[in-house]
């Protein structure tokens, strides 16, 4: 066992932190309050190389390994980038682009990956439905083969980047009589007749990410937009879990480190009863709990990433453990950070309030904590 | 980065698991009978002396695993078998023995460390005093030179193995410096009190001791030490041992609850099929796996990034010891009446978990120190 990152990985992490602090963080509060997606920051992430970090250079990527890619996510959180932008980045890079890359034809890769890696195009993934969340097999969106086309009908729900996406990987039943084996994946481009994203949902947190329905009404797409093979869609969706339990959790780890510094700085400057509140043991205890969460969650996340780098199949038990822990334990930590700031923590003036709201998604998005417990209890 | 143990380490853990499993069969390792406790300890040391286990972290491994991380995982194996036996063996080996290994002269190592790693010597280390907190209060126990010898006076409390140990390493001061005095059991002036009755660790023998003009030769002094490095190291090792103890507690109680939940039926189906039980087990496993990785990483830092070892060990100490209480309590709940019977794995772990939060650096003090770190204090 060896818990050490390479010097190059650590240097890269610092580069990402510097980049994010300069180019993204100064804009976070404004866009969170406006509930708008920050296109400029997203494109800058593309220019920096973050959006296609793990793709081969020939597709516009950087050829990074998984651990380095996950480290970049941690760095964004540690710099103070909001959960909305990191979620948009995750949905774009891992749920959409990576699925396209892993399962697409060479023609599809060449067409989409460079645009997605640069940030010229924005991607999303359409899997969940109003009545089919974690229970994917019960989806009702269909894709009927008609000659050289597929005709899609149905509605997808909770789609991150839905309103702003240029391309979507959409899952639909090509054989409604089957459960998981009846699901296939398709590439649908913005502007395709019969495809319409809904209006952005107003959310409690991760407000800079745009979330909506995707509505398909006799939406006809060329048969060549089938991704991979018919009936393998569920398999492709499950491939994203590896990223979901590593790269998408990493910003929460980084965010805890950001919170720790924010809270420490505030506690040293805030004077009550004649001394900085940092001198009170109860305040130190809160700081300690933030650090402990950051240290504990980090190991779980990088274990998934390292195993992926080794080419091992996903250990679903370890993946569920990582998601459950990061999801459930990030809440008390961000809650403590708000409390530590007192009244100020309850205002938009201080970013702990936003981080608290953003963290509420952790035990919900990508499979609720309850679903993780169902998975674990079945596997043990 | 690498999340796997190597083949040699895995082979050692497997061998330990098998040997300790056989050793435990038919023995009452948690019995509060002092005679039996000593017999169990001596037999276990004799067994482990024939393996690389006792040398871990103390002596050249001759190609065998020897780092703090391998030690942590190996200790976890023993802790899963018996909490009391674990505490007895590890206080002797990894605290008493580590002090010798780190600071003893060649002569002292030959005298005490060699028989220790061969499983022929049982040690104790006496640190805590009435003030309890060596971080804030200076040690009162003192040795002074007198006619070429050292004469020790003072009192120690909560000394694990004190009534059983062949040798006791007494931590005290000499003038303005600290030192470790090696006192043989039965030395005139050394009085070991009767065994304390404790909430957990029934099979570990804990007592206080007093030293009243206890005279030892000068070559039985380790040190002296300036500053607080020695005390900090002892605390670090103690905390690392306690981390391994909690991993054993969690593994044992989780496994007993898991096996029971799959076998015990209620309403015509195994109770694990009920979400209330299945979810509880999921939470327990999550805490155990998270604690295990954190403990492993803290052990890894001891050898690789020592500057962060102390701080990360405090983080692990808080998380692991509090998780151990939660996991053993949940196991007890799942086991229901069976879990409440004295001697049940979960019931024992639940009682022992509290000790792990108090001993070493307490969870409260750990949090204060972690907070100070974050604030840039000290």
């Amino acid at each position: 066992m060896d818990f050490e990152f390479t010097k190059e990985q650590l240097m890269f992490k610092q580069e990402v932190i510097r980049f994010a602090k300069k180019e993204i963080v100064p804009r976070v509060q404004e866009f969170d309050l406006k509930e708008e997606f920050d296109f400029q920051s997203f494109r800058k992430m593309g220019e920096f190389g973050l959006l296609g970090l793990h793709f081969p250079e020939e597709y516009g990527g950087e050829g990074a390994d998984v651990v380095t890619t996950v480290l970049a996510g941690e760095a964004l959180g540690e710099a103070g980038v909001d959960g909305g932008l990191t979620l948009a980045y995750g949905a774009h890079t891992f749920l959409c682009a990576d699925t396209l890359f892993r399962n697409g034809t060479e023609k599809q890769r060449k067409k989409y990956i460079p645009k997605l890696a640069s940030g010229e195009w924005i991607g999303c993934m359409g899997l969940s439905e109003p009545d089919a969340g974690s229970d994917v097999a019960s989806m009702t969106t269909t894709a009927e083969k008609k000659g050289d086309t597929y005709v899609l009908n149905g509605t997808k729900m909770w789609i991150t980047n839905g309103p702003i996406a240029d391309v979507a990987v959409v899952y639909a039943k090509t054989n409604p009589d089957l459960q998981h084996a009846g699901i296939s994946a398709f590439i649908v481009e913005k502007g395709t007749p019969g495809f319409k994203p809904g209006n952005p949902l107003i959310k409690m947190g991760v407000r800079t990410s745009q979330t909506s329905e995707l509505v398909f009404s006799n939406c006809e797409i060329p048969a060549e937009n089938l991704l991979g093979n018919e009936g393998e869609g569920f398999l492709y969706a499950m491939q994203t879990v590896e990223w979901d339990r590593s790269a998408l959790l990493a910003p929460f780890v980084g965010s805890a480190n950001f919170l720790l510094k924010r809270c420490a700085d505030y506690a040293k400057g805030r004077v009550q009863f004649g001394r900085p509140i940092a001198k009170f043991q109860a305040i130190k205890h809160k700081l300690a709990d933030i650090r402990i969460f950051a240290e504990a969650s980090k190991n779980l996340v990088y274990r998934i990433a390292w195993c992926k780098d080794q080419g091992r199949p996903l250990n679903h038990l370890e993946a569920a453990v990582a998601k459950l822990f990061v999801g459930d334990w990030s809440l008390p930590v961000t809650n403590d950070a708000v409390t530590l700031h007192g009244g100020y923590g309850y205002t938009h003036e201080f970013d702990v309030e936003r981080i608290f709201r953003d963290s509420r998604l952790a035990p919900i998005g990508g499979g609720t904590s309850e679903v993780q417990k169902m998975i674990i209890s079945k596997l043990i | 980065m690498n999340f796997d143990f190597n083949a040699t380490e895995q082979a050692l853990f497997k061998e330990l698991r098998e040997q300790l499993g056989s050793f435990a069969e038919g023995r009452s390792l948690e019995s509060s009978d002092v005679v039996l406790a000593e017999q169990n300890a001596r037999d276990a040391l004799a067994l482990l002396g024939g393996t690389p286990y006792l040398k871990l972290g103390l002596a050249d491994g001759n190609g065998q695993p020897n780092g703090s991380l391998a030690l942590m995982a190996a200790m976890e194996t023993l802790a899963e078998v018996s909490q009391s036996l674990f505490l007895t063996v590890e206080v002797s080996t990894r605290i008493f023995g580590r002090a010798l290994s780190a600071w003893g002269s060649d002569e002292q190592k030959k005298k005490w460390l060699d028989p220790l790693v061969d499983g022929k010597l049982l040690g104790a280390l006496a640190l805590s005093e009435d003030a309890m907190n060596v971080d804030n209060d200076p040690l009162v126990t003192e040795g002074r030179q007198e006619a070429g010898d050292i004469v020790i006076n003072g009192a120690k409390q909560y000394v694990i193995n004190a009534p059983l140990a062949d040798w006791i390493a007494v931590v005290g001061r000499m003038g303005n410096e600290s030192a470790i005095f090696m006192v043989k059991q039965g030395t005139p002036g050394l009085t070991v009190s009767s065994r304390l009755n404790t909430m957990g660790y029934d099979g570990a023998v804990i007592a206080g001791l007093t030293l009243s003009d206890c005279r030892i030769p000068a070559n039985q002094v380790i040190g002296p030490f300036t500053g607080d490095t020695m005390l900090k190291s002892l605390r670090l090792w103690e905390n690392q041992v306690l981390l391994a103890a909690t991993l054993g507690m969690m593994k044992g109680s989780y496994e007993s609850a898991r096996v029971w939940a799959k076998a015990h039926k209620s309403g015509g189906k195994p109770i694990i099929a009920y979400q209330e039980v299945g979810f509880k087990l999921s939470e327990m496993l999550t805490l155990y796996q998270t604690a295990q990785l954190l403990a492993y990483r803290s052990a890894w830092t001891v050898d690789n990034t020592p500057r962060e070892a102390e701080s990360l060990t405090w983080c692990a100490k808080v998380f692991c010891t509090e998780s151990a209480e939660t996991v053993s309590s949940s196991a007890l709940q799942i086991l229901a009446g069976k879990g409440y019977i004295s001697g049940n794995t979960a019931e024992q772990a639940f009682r022992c978990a509290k000790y792990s939060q108090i001993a070493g650096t307490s969870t409260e003090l750990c949090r204060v120190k972690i907070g100070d770190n974050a604030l840039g204090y000290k």
Side-chain angles (χ1 to χ4, degrees):
Chain A
M1 262 188 171
D2 178 359
F3 293 91
E4 194 155 34
F5 295 101
T6 65
K7 279 181 185 162
E8 291 75 20
Q9 285 170 332
L10 292 174
M11 281 169 59
F12 178 67
K13 182 185 176 188
Q14 290 309 314
E15 278 179 40
V16 176
I17 290 174
R18 275 194 296 274
F19 156 77
K21 280 185 173 174
K22 182 178 175 216
E23 302 289 352
I24 304 175
V25 174
R27 300 159 60 84
V28 161
Q29 188 189 28
E30 176 194 347
F31 281 82
D32 175 69
L33 293 178
K34 287 195 298 188
E35 278 194 87
E36 284 181 11
F37 183 71
D38 184 358
F39 285 96
Q40 179 183 312
S41 290
F42 195 75
R43 300 256 148 77
K44 293 250 183 194
M45 286 170 73
E47 287 168 20
F48 188 83
L50 289 174
L51 301 181
L53 201 54
H54 71 290
F55 296 123
E57 290 180 20
E58 61 189 286
Y59 298 99
E62 306 286 331
D65 58 26
V66 180
V67 168
T68 304
T69 306
V70 171
L71 207 50
E74 184 188 336
L76 291 173
E78 193 166 326
V81 174
D82 65 294
L85 191 61
T86 56
L87 178 64
Y89 151 69
H92 166 91
T93 299
F94 305 111
L95 307 187
C96 176
D98 188 72
T99 308
L100 270 165
F101 180 77
R102 287 167 73 130
N103 307 296
T105 62
E106 192 55 24
K107 189 178 167 191
Q108 288 168 333
R109 284 179 169 189
K110 285 262 165 43
K111 180 177 180 184
Y112 296 108
I113 301 302
K115 285 179 179 167
L116 291 168
S118 68
E120 181 187 345
W121 276 24
I122 296 172
C124 72
M125 177 188 79
L127 178 64
S128 293
E129 296 184 358
D131 296 317
S134 298
D135 181 14
V136 175
S138 65
M139 71 168 57
T140 56
T141 298
T142 56
E144 189 182 350
K145 182 91 184 277
K146 283 190 177 175
D148 290 338
T149 64
Y150 284 96
V151 179
L152 273 62
N153 278 288
T155 301
K156 295 294 174 182
M157 190 63 174
W158 316 119
I159 310 306
T160 302
N161 297 345
I164 54 172
D166 299 284
V167 60
V169 170
V170 178
Y171 295 88
K173 284 264 180 86
T174 42
N175 187 344
D177 295 333
L178 297 177
Q179 295 285 303
H180 298 98
I183 299 171
S184 302
F186 299 92
I187 304 166
V188 183
E189 291 185 20
K190 179 176 150 184
T192 304
F195 166 43
K196 189 183 165 193
N199 292 323
L201 297 166
I202 298 169
K203 306 190 298 293
M204 172 184 177
V206 292
R207 288 150 60 109
T208 66
S209 72
Q210 303 292 290
T211 313
S212 72
E213 291 181 323
L214 301 180
V215 181
F216 301 92
S217 178
N218 290 320
C219 173
E220 198 170 288
I221 58 171
E224 65 180 27
N225 281 23
L226 172 70
L227 190 58
N229 299 312
E230 267 198 22
E232 293 183 0
F234 180 72
L235 184 69
Y236 306 158
M238 288 302 99
Q239 288 169 348
T240 66
V241 175
E242 291 171 295
W243 288 114
D244 203 274
R245 306 301 183 248
S246 54
L248 271 81
L249 292 181
F252 290 101
V253 178
S255 185
N257 285 319
F258 174 80
L259 274 182
L260 183 61
K261 185 160 189 330
R262 268 285 189 273
C263 290
D265 288 346
Y266 179 82
K268 283 193 279 191
R270 171 75 172 165
V271 175
Q272 287 288 279
F273 305 105
R275 56 180 174 162
I277 61 170
K279 295 287 183 186
F280 293 100
Q281 287 189 338
I283 298 296
K284 293 178 184 178
H285 280 205
K286 287 191 193 304
L287 295 173
D289 287 341
I290 298 172
R291 162 103 192 269
I292 291 165
F293 167 75
E295 299 291 359
S297 55
K298 183 176 181 176
N299 307 322
L300 297 168
V301 169
Y302 285 100
R303 178 168 65 173
I304 304 290
W306 179 80
C307 286
K308 186 169 168 55
D309 266 335
Q310 305 312 303
R312 296 181 188 173
L314 178 68
N315 181 320
H316 287 278
L317 188 68
E318 291 176 357
V321 162
K323 176 69 170 66
L324 179 58
F325 182 78
V326 176
D328 278 3
W329 283 66
S330 63
L331 291 183
V333 162
T334 54
N335 189 36
D336 270 356
V338 170
T339 304
L340 187 145
H341 280 74
Y344 293 111
Y346 199 67
T347 70
H348 291 314
E349 299 297 312
F350 283 71
D351 36 25
V352 293
E353 180 266 348
R354 171 179 48 74
I355 294 171
F356 173 66
R357 285 186 287 105
D358 287 353
S359 74
R360 191 58 189 86
L361 185 65
I364 298 172
T368 63
S369 292
E370 286 68 25
V371 167
Q372 306 315 311
K373 290 177 194 174
M374 283 170 66
I375 293 168
I376 296 169
S377 59
K378 276 181 189 165
L379 290 172
I380 60 176
Chain B
M1 190 164 262
N2 186 341
F3 280 81
D4 285 342
F5 285 106
N6 65 36
T8 317
E9 290 166 337
Q10 288 182 33
L12 170 65
F13 306 149
K14 184 170 179 284
E15 181 193 348
L16 282 173
R17 210 169 294 121
E18 288 168 359
Q19 292 208 19
L20 289 168
S22 302
F23 175 83
E25 275 176 27
R27 286 179 184 264
S28 300
L29 296 174
E30 299 297 335
S31 166
S32 58
D33 183 289
V34 175
V35 175
L36 189 55
E38 177 162 12
Q39 190 59 53
N40 285 332
R42 302 276 177 192
D43 290 350
L45 288 171
L47 170 77
L48 294 168
T51 73
Y53 183 80
L54 296 180
K55 294 186 179 66
L56 278 166
L58 301 183
D60 182 6
N62 286 326
Q64 288 293 326
N66 201 27
S68 297
L69 175 54
L71 168 62
M72 178 65 76
M75 287 196 294
E76 181 185 358
T77 309
L78 176 56
E80 193 187 338
V81 171
S82 162
Q83 286 296 318
S84 295
L85 183 64
F86 171 81
L87 198 64
T88 304
V89 169
E90 289 312 322
V91 163
S92 171
T93 311
R94 242 60 72 168
I95 302 179
F96 172 89
R98 245 178 162 170
L100 280 164
S101 172
W103 304 306
S105 65
D106 288 345
E107 185 191 339
Q108 289 169 333
K109 284 180 188 174
K110 194 173 178 188
K111 182 173 182 181
W112 294 301
L113 193 59
D114 288 356
L116 185 86
V117 298
D118 286 340
K120 293 171 183 164
L121 187 151
L122 182 65
L125 187 129
L127 177 61
S128 286
E129 296 186 349
D130 192 35
M132 274 295 288
N133 186 349
V134 293
D135 287 297
N136 297 326
D137 299 298
L139 292 166
V140 172
T141 299
E142 182 178 22
R144 56 188 162 73
Q145 292 189 357
E146 197 176 288
D149 290 335
I150 303 295
V151 177
I152 316 161
N153 282 285
K156 295 287 181 180
Q157 57 184 6
Y158 311 123
V159 183
I160 296 156
N161 296 345
L164 313 181
D166 303 306
W167 286 86
I168 302 172
V170 178
V171 182
R173 62 187 171 89
M174 285 183 76
N176 293 325
E177 297 172 317
S178 54
I180 299 173
F181 309 112
M182 298 296 288
V183 182
K184 190 175 185 181
Q185 190 76 262
T187 302
L190 167 69
T191 306
V192 178
S193 71
S194 55
R195 180 246 182 97
L196 296 167
N197 293 316
T198 51
M199 175 181 173
Y201 285 106
D202 301 338
V205 185
I206 305 172
L209 56 88
T210 56
L211 299 122
S212 181
D213 289 332
C214 180
R215 182 179 292 268
I216 62 170
N219 64 2
Q220 286 180 204
V221 176
I222 300 175
F225 306 90
T226 52
D228 59 359
T229 308
M230 184 265 284
L231 291 174
K232 277 188 164 188
S233 296
L234 289 175
R235 278 290 186 232
L236 177 69
W237 300 336
E238 189 179 12
N239 287 338
Q240 289 271 314
V241 164
L242 291 165
L243 291 183
T246 64
L247 298 184
M249 285 172 211
M250 283 187 269
K251 179 84 184 299
S253 44
Y254 163 75
E255 276 300 324
S256 65
R258 185 185 69 87
V259 169
W260 171 254
K262 291 176 93 165
H264 182 64
K265 288 186 177 174
S266 178
K269 56 183 179 180
I271 60 170
I272 196 172
Y274 293 96
Q275 285 193 333
E276 186 63 49
V277 175
F279 280 24
K280 217 182 272 296
L281 284 164
S282 304
E283 291 161 6
M284 291 158 66
L285 181 68
T286 297
L287 286 177
Y288 166 58
Q289 285 202 356
T290 308
Q292 188 186 46
L293 281 178
L294 189 53
Y296 285 176
R297 186 153 71 91
S298 79
W300 178 86
T301 60
V302 172
D303 297 334
N304 295 280
T305 53
R307 284 179 65 182
E308 66 171 338
E310 187 179 47
S311 167
L312 196 65
T313 299
W314 292 329
C315 290
K317 176 78 167 39
V318 173
F319 187 81
C320 293
T321 59
E322 292 184 350
S323 294
E325 183 180 335
T326 305
V327 169
S328 55
S329 177
S330 293
L332 218 157
Q333 193 72 21
I334 289 171
L335 290 157
K338 181 181 158 78
Y340 199 67
I341 302 295
S342 291
N344 180 277
T345 304
E347 178 266 343
Q348 282 172 350
F350 183 64
R351 288 187 285 113
C352 292
K354 184 49 71 182
Y355 173 81
S356 65
Q357 295 168 13
I358 299 166
T361 313
S362 71
T363 48
E364 288 73 16
L365 200 51
C366 280
R367 280 193 167 94
V368 168
K369 286 168 178 284
I370 298 164
D372 281 339
N373 258 214
L375 291 159
Y377 293 167
K378 289 180 186 173

